[in-house]
Amino acid sequence: TPIAPGIPMAMTDNVLVLDYGTPETLRTIKSLAGQIAAVLVEPVQSRRPDFQPREFLQELRQITAESDTALIFDEVVTGFRVHPGGAQVLFGVKADIATYGKVIGGGLPIGMVAGSAKYLDALDGGAWSFGDESGPEVGVTFFAGTFVRHPLALAAARAVLQRLQQEGPELQRGLNLRTTAFVERLRKCAAELGAPMQINHFTSWFCITFPTDLPLATVFFTSMREKGVHIWDGRPCFLTLAHSDADLEHVANAVRSTLQEMQAYDFLPRPATPARKGRDASGKEAWFVPDPERPGKYLQVTEPVAADV
């Protein structure tokens, strides 16, 4: 179904949308061998970082290779962020075509399509140069865009690639480990407060979610913005090389204070007051809870007396 008004239904006629990462999807693609021109996947979906179907992708590569179907990886999020070779290296799957976004240009508006000459020669005609007798070796299709080959974006992309090449995989590895440690810190904070905040992450990005039966939980994102931390509700959060230790400290403190405020106003549930067993003044066993007005002291829990109705 078209995602928005104005997109003709005919645009969907040649597109088949399947569930990601399921055996049924693999069987469907295999049954349509010879009819499918290309299969496009986002290897690790940006809003579902905890789902990393390695075996699915490897089997998908085998099926598409046998049917001469182009396998396209959407690496706009994973490309250069998870590893210099992207998700293709992490999962041991080489796609025929891969797409990349602003990360390759250090944040400037740029997109990149990479892949095998078998498919990409149709964009530039293959290996040829202006000013000599060479020319396109294959037929080309129309390819253009507002920021295609923009000198500033290309200069930025060159600088990014040079740094990635100089530092190697350790650049991403260090950032990924730093993100893992930060996510664990936020998870520990939520556990200490008894707040139902869930964080799923993969390499250097993570997603913060709350149970769907808590309609006021989304106030968390607004409150975080008031504290100077922009988190888009339902979207992933990214850690980058630009984030300092002071930045992470500010974010962690903002998360803790926001959760505490939301619990204080019943926007989020608070954990039940822990009770402990002890003995009363007469020496009998009884249950006690902390006295909120006298730190270190306890109140005895007594059973309610039933009233006549």
Side-chain angles (χ1 to χ4, degrees), residues 55-67:
E55 292 76 15
F56 172 87
L57 291 170
Q58 292 176 342
E59 189 171 348
L60 179 62
R61 172 68 286 185
Q62 182 178 348
I63 293 173
T64 52
E66 291 174 353
S67 62

Side-chain angles (χ1 to χ4, degrees), residues 120-164:
L120 296 193
D121 278 358
L123 302 182
D124 59 13
W128 65 288
S129 303
F130 288 105
D132 57 25
E133 296 183 356
S134 64
E137 300 172 353
V138 298
V140 298
T141 186
F142 179 77
F143 178 71
T146 305
F147 298 103
V148 169
R149 305 179 186 88
H150 190 282
L152 179 60
L154 290 177
R158 183 172 185 267
V160 169
L161 289 172
Q162 286 179 328
R163 181 172 179 184
L164 293 175

